[in-house]
């Protein structure tokens, strides 16, 4: 049986990926700070993401390691939270690199999560993997995150970085928040509504992780997003339609900032965006189950 280790796999992405991998015959081991954090599709191994320990044995002989570790960015960007967001990402990369380096039978591949936030607030510009990085806190975090991956010396393990888009799933994530607002007739566009949302259905994202694990030709950076990004205005219009809600007035930027403050998060998460395409996945013939937004939302909601 093939074995995959999901570091930080008890979060939103891992809770979807683990059963998807288990369903195709993988033994899934989840590294988590919380005992019993994973579900029936996986086994939980305790780690703190900061120091080597008995958990390192799980990596020896594994087919793949997927690193999903990182403090959620859905918070207020206080100095403390900024530090935790960055440190949790850089620390886990370095720690896993050290652990893999000590393996007698290193895993064949390290699949590292990153984010499309690396492109900053890119407006209507189309960003593929060759696009320049942007500015702002999110972009800076991603630049340091990926630099940490590139600094690893792993002669026996491929390295694939997936820059993940706005992941749509049933069990958490930002869609849950937006659907909740829309249910209460608060589903208007945010700010100008012109900012792009590069979305992907979780089913397709899981297949991208599998491809990165199994295709020996894959190496380097890939945009892990759907092929048809939409503006915030169009996203909310289709969300209202799927949920059977009428038109809602746009929410001005100042009101978004007040709402974000009350929800203890950052307004920039709603007011900025990027129009990204998965050029390298398309070049390799990746087949999307959900290319268009409305079928994706209808499937989930």
């Amino acid at each position: 049986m093939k074995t995959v280790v999901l570091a930080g796999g008890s979060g939103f992405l891992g809770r979807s990926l683990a059963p998807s991998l288990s369903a195709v015959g993988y033994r899934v081991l989840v590294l988590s700070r919380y005992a019993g954090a994973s579900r029936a599709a996986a086994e939980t191994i305790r780690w703190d993401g900061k120091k080597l320990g008995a958990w390192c044995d799980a990596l020896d002989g594994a087919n793949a390691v997927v690193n999903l570790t990182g403090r959620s960015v859905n918070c207020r960007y206080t100095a403390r939270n900024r530090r935790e967001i960055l440190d949790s990402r850089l620390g886990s990369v370095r720690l896993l690199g050290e652990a893999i380096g000590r393996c007698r039978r290193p895993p064949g591949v390290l699949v590292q999560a990153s984010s499309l936030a690396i492109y900053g607030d890119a407006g209507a510009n189309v960003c593929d993997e060759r696009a320049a990085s942007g500015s702002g806190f999110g972009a800076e975090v991603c630049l340091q995150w990926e630099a940490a991956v590139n600094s690893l010396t792993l002669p026996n393990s491929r390295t694939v970085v997936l820059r993940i888009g706005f992941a749509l799933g049933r069990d958490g994530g930002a869609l849950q928040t937006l659907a909740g607002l829309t249910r209460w007739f608060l589903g208007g566009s945010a700010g100008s509504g012109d900012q792009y949302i590069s979305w992907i259905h979780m089913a397709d994202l899981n297949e991208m992780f599998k491809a990165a694990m199994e295709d020996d030709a894959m190496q380097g950076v890939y945009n892990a997003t759907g092929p048809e990004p939409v503006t915030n205005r169009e996203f909310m219009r289709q969300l209202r339609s799927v949920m059977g809600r009428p038109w809602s007035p746009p929410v001005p930027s100042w009101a978004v900032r007040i709402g974000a403050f009350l929800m203890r998060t950052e307004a920039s998460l709603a007011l900025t965006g990027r129009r990204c395409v998965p050029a390298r996945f398309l070049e390799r013939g990746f087949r999307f189950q959900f290319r268009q937004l409305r079928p994706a939302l209808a499937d989930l909601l």
Side-chain angles (χ1 to χ4, degrees):
M1 180 179 288
K2 293 182 178 180
T3 299
V4 58
V5 178
L6 305 184
S10 58
F12 172 53
L13 298 182
R15 291 196 303 270
S16 177
L17 181 57
S20 176
L21 293 172
S22 179
V24 294
Y26 277 92
R27 178 188 181 210
V28 182
L29 306 178
V30 170
L31 302 183
S32 174
R33 291 177 297 163
Y34 310 105
S38 59
R39 298 183 175 182
E43 305 170 38
T44 304
I45 298 174
R46 289 290 299 275
W47 82 324
D48 62 4
K50 297 179 180 179
K51 59 181 181 296
L52 299 173
W55 60 266
C56 295
D57 294 340
L59 277 60
D60 205 329
N63 296 86
V65 174
V66 179
N67 187 17
L68 305 172
T69 309
R71 191 202 193 285
S72 172
V73 296
N74 184 20
C75 63
R76 296 286 305 282
Y77 288 171
T78 63
R80 177 179 178 179
N81 287 344
R82 285 173 181 255
R83 185 171 60 252
E84 289 182 357
I85 288 169
L86 183 59
D87 290 350
S88 63
R89 285 159 173 75
L90 303 188
S92 68
V93 169
R94 293 165 182 157
L95 186 62
L96 287 170
E98 185 177 356
I100 292 172
R102 296 187 178 200
C103 290
R104 291 174 298 170
R105 298 169 298 159
V109 60
L110 169 64
V111 183
Q112 173 62 54
S114 183
S115 170
L116 295 179
I118 196 168
Y119 301 114
D121 187 15
N125 296 324
V126 178
C127 300
D128 63 12
E129 292 86 351
R130 296 167 295 184
S133 59
S135 59
F137 175 65
E140 182 58 34
V141 167
C142 291
L143 284 168
Q144 294 190 51
W145 201 4
E146 294 186 13
V149 178
N150 294 333
S151 70
L152 299 178
T153 302
L154 304 175
N156 298 304
S157 304
R158 283 186 300 116
T159 303
V160 180
V161 175
L162 298 184
R163 292 174 174 169
I164 300 172
F166 188 87
L168 306 180
R170 294 185 179 88
D171 188 17
L175 178 60
Q176 189 175 45
T177 300
L178 294 179
L181 292 171
T182 302
R183 188 170 291 113
W184 290 100
F185 303 95
L186 299 172
S189 58
S192 71
D194 294 330
Q195 64 275 30
Y196 272 84
I197 296 177
S198 297
W199 63 272
I200 184 168
H201 191 291
M202 193 65 77
D204 287 323
L205 182 57
N206 289 340
E207 291 302 313
M208 287 181 169
F209 275 109
K210 291 177 192 174
M213 291 163 48
E214 297 174 352
D215 186 347
D216 291 339
M218 287 186 63
Q219 186 131 6
V221 171
Y222 293 77
N223 285 350
T225 186
E228 298 186 18
V230 298
T231 62
N232 174 275
R233 183 185 302 106
E234 178 63 13
F235 188 98
M236 298 308 299
R237 185 187 73 80
Q238 295 207 33
L239 181 59
R240 292 193 304 270
S241 176
V242 168
M243 297 185 67
R245 291 297 186 267
W247 176 83
S248 295
V251 183
S253 297
W254 63 265
V256 173
R257 294 188 178 94
I258 292 174
F261 179 83
L262 295 174
M263 296 172 69
R264 303 187 64 80
T265 188
E266 283 293 321
S268 61
L269 296 176
L271 296 175
T272 63
R274 51 212 61 91
R275 187 182 187 181
C276 299
V277 293
R280 295 191 69 191
F281 272 108
L282 292 173
E283 288 167 2
R284 66 182 298 277
F286 184 85
R287 299 181 65 179
F288 286 88
Q289 184 177 348
F290 296 94
R291 294 182 66 95
Q292 297 180 327
L293 180 60
R294 184 179 177 86
L297 292 175
D299 177 72
L300 295 169
L301 298 173

